[in-house]
Amino acid sequence: MLPQHLTSDRDALVAEIHEAFRGVTRVGGRSWRAAYRSDYDGLAPDDRQLLEIPDNDRSWEELAAGTAWDDDSLGGGGFSFLDAIGFRYYLPAAMVRSIQRGNSSNLALKLTLPEPDTHLHEHILHRLSLLNEEQCRVVANFLQFMLTLDLHNGTSLEGSNWRIALNSHWAPFFRLR
């Protein structure tokens, strides 16, 4: 059970996400299943048949509200293989679902920008390139909320993937509401 102040913060943050990402579509971008097709070798043979089913979602809001989309899979595909359009489309749905679940360490990892001298730095910066300032602020607020939730649940500050993600790129965007 969340304390009242965290419940209020959670609800306000979900509203911020909806406002900042209103109208974002996947048109011209890579779909979730296409991301898995890009990492075909990472899938078990029984899961490969699922790739033939087209993505029928009409909005990220639909994904956030539903239960069929597996946004927190640590297997193949997913956020690692999305382009900038797909990343901007799926990110708000994953944030809302993480808030509702109270956790998603996979998303924290996908929002962590590696050091500039690593080979993934430019790749991840490109994936983030379509996020505007308001969307970046909301991501920072999301990371801060998840960090606060971790601390509330007894997770150490030093070991928190949310803290690592926030400090890797997003902290300058954080603003108190």
Side-chain angles (χ1 to χ4, degrees), residues 102-116:
N103 195 8
S104 174
S105 60
N106 185 34
L107 185 55
L109 297 173
K110 298 309 177 193
L111 289 170
T112 301
L113 185 64
E115 293 295 322

Side-chain angles (χ1 to χ4, degrees), residues 76-172:
F79 280 102
S80 295
F81 290 88
L82 290 172
D83 59 8
I85 294 170
F87 189 84
R88 183 181 60 185
Y89 174 78
Y90 291 103
L91 178 60
M95 289 191 298
V96 169
R97 291 182 69 180
S98 293
I99 292 166
Q100 292 166 344
R101 282 191 303 259
N103 195 8
S104 174
S105 60
N106 185 34
L107 185 55
L109 297 173
K110 298 309 177 193
L111 289 170
T112 301
L113 185 64
E115 293 295 322
D117 58 345
T118 63
H119 70 284
L120 286 177
H121 183 82
E122 289 302 317
H123 173 73
I124 293 174
L125 271 181
H126 175 72
R127 209 169 46 207
L128 302 176
S129 66
L130 294 180
L131 297 176
N132 64 34
E133 188 171 339
E134 179 185 12
Q135 292 163 345
C136 288
R137 181 185 52 76
V138 169
V139 172
N141 290 349
F142 162 77
L143 291 168
Q144 182 62 54
F145 174 81
M146 296 305 287
L147 175 59
T148 301
L149 192 57
D150 255 9
L151 295 174
H152 170 74
N153 292 331
T155 305
S156 87
L157 177 63
E158 290 304 312
S160 174
N161 288 331
W162 302 112
R163 181 191 57 79
I164 294 166
L166 181 63
N167 290 336
S168 75
H169 175 72
W170 305 99

